[in-house]
Amino acid sequence: MEKSLRRYQLAPRFKITKERVFEIDFLRGLDIVLMLIVHFVCDLGMLDGFLNPPEVQPEWIVTMQLLCSSIFNEIVSGSLFFLEFFFSGLFMFLCGISCAFAHSNFKRGIQLAYVAVFLSILLDVADALFGLNSHIYVGILHALAIGLLIYSLVDHFSPSYKADFLCGILFTILVGITSYYYYGSGAHLTNLDLANGNDWNQAWKLLFGLARAGDDYFSPLITTSLIFLGATVGKTIYRERKSLIKRDFKKGWAKPFLWIGNKTLYAYVLHQPVFYAFLALFFLPFGYHLF
């Protein structure tokens, strides 16, 4: 009798550990670090935009501002624009791979939407109170939230990689069609003046990447296509949720990138206030002041 009972005893429970995928965390962290560098260069180039300069500015500061402003303009609209497009697109693609690992994408999308809307309202309030002239209407958080919600809806009814791949191709084709007919008619990518209450009748263009507005803009259409394509890779190449890099590969040098790759939302939301505070403290001794 005792032996028969032992046969039906439950197996001992072990703690299941969730293995991180090194290359995904690293590339995501690298993307964030590059974003921080670009935004810091932008802040240096626009130093007079949030700090009042002295009557006579030190020559080295003026030179630094001109250099940083020139570098930033090359990255966002000049010869280096392909770098911003590549790394921002890579980030969306990596988010799609992560979606294939998660089971709460709808919840994540809702939470991200709350943060995105809160950030937009906060910047509008700050602009009204302090005249910061900084607005975000459809930024990276908004685009990711829209993409996550669409992906979670499709994944709920059809969780196969084939559905993800098909949706990724369909959204990519839609990007091509809208861009072809819009730009083929001679139109140009315009900056909508939503902050002053103008151009709201054209706000729909923001959803299709046909116009931009504010200080941070990403096309939800392109973002959604990259999320689906990334999820396809996540469900095929990374179907076992394991890194493709050998276990004996030394990873100690990458710890800063891995850490920030796991804190992307905090890095995005908090980096500008931290930069502003640092620059204010650094340049106050040189005659700059807040008011």
Side-chain angles (χ1 to χ4, degrees):
M1 183 67 175
E2 184 178 354
K3 290 182 178 180
S4 62
L5 286 175
R6 287 179 182 175
R7 292 173 54 191
Y8 296 100
Q9 285 180 346
L10 294 175
R13 293 185 178 181
F14 296 95
K15 184 178 180 181
I16 299 175
T17 57
K18 184 179 180 182
E19 182 181 356
R20 303 294 306 186
V21 180
F22 168 78
E23 57 269 32
I24 299 222
D25 284 343
F26 171 75
L27 288 174
R28 187 164 51 231
L30 177 63
D31 255 359
I32 293 297
V33 170
L34 292 174
M35 178 203 72
L36 296 178
I37 293 174
V38 170
H39 285 190
F40 189 71
V41 169
C42 173
D43 292 341
L44 286 172
M46 301 176 62
L47 189 64
D48 294 349
F50 60 93
L51 285 177
N52 293 316
E55 293 184 4
V56 179
Q57 299 185 60
E59 185 176 348
W60 69 270
I61 294 181
V62 175
T63 303
M64 176 204 65
Q65 284 185 268
L66 292 174
L67 176 62
C68 290
S69 179
S70 176
I71 293 174
F72 180 74
N73 289 332
E74 284 296 317
I75 292 174
V76 298
S77 59
S79 60
L80 299 178
F81 175 73
F82 71 95
L83 291 176
E84 183 186 25
F85 183 81
F86 173 77
F87 284 106
S88 61
L90 177 62
F91 184 81
M92 307 299 181
F93 187 80
L94 293 172
C95 288
I97 295 178
S98 299
C99 284
F101 301 161
H103 298 286
S104 57
N105 290 305
F106 182 78
K107 181 179 178 181
R108 290 168 59 211
I110 292 294
Q111 292 174 339
L112 207 56
Y114 277 129
V115 175
V117 172
F118 173 76
L119 186 61
S120 295
I121 295 174
L122 181 64
L123 287 176
D124 280 351
V125 172
D127 176 63
L129 295 177
F130 307 107
L132 295 181
N133 193 29
S134 181
H135 306 272
I136 296 179
Y137 299 103
V138 183
I140 186 171
L141 297 185
H142 303 73
L144 280 174
I146 294 172
L148 281 175
L149 292 174
I150 295 175
Y151 170 79
S152 63
L153 181 64
V154 173
D155 190 60
H156 176 75
F157 292 101
S158 184
S160 70
Y161 74 90
K162 295 179 181 179
D164 293 344
F165 181 70
L166 178 61
C167 287
I169 295 300
L170 289 176
F171 274 103
T172 302
I173 292 174
L174 185 57
V175 170
I177 291 175
T178 54
S179 300
Y180 175 79
Y181 281 102
Y182 184 71
Y183 297 114
S185 64
H188 300 283
L189 185 66
T190 56
N191 288 290
L192 302 182
D193 185 24
L194 303 182
N196 295 316
N198 302 320
D199 300 329
W200 279 99
N201 61 324
Q202 302 183 57
W204 61 270
K205 294 180 180 179
L206 298 176
L207 297 176
F208 297 94
L210 303 179
R212 58 179 299 128
D215 300 285
D216 178 31
Y217 173 75
F218 283 85
S219 166
L221 195 61
I222 296 176
T223 299
T224 304
S225 69
L226 290 171
I227 287 177
F228 274 107
L229 293 176
T232 304
V233 172
K235 291 180 180 179
T236 53
I237 297 177
Y238 289 101
R239 62 184 178 275
E240 296 182 1
R241 303 183 185 183
K242 293 182 179 180
S243 174
L244 302 179
I245 297 178
K246 295 181 179 179
R247 288 183 175 273
D248 58 354
F249 178 75
K250 295 182 179 179
K251 305 172 184 176
W253 59 272
K255 284 184 178 180
F257 296 98
L258 299 176
W259 181 82
I260 201 168
N262 292 321
K263 309 291 182 183
T264 54
L265 182 58
Y266 294 106
Y268 177 81
V269 173
L270 299 177
H271 75 279
Q272 284 292 30
V274 172
F275 285 170
Y276 288 154
F278 171 78
L279 292 175
L281 292 174
F282 182 85
F283 285 101
L284 284 177
F286 297 99
Y288 284 80
H289 52 281
L290 297 175
F291 305 105

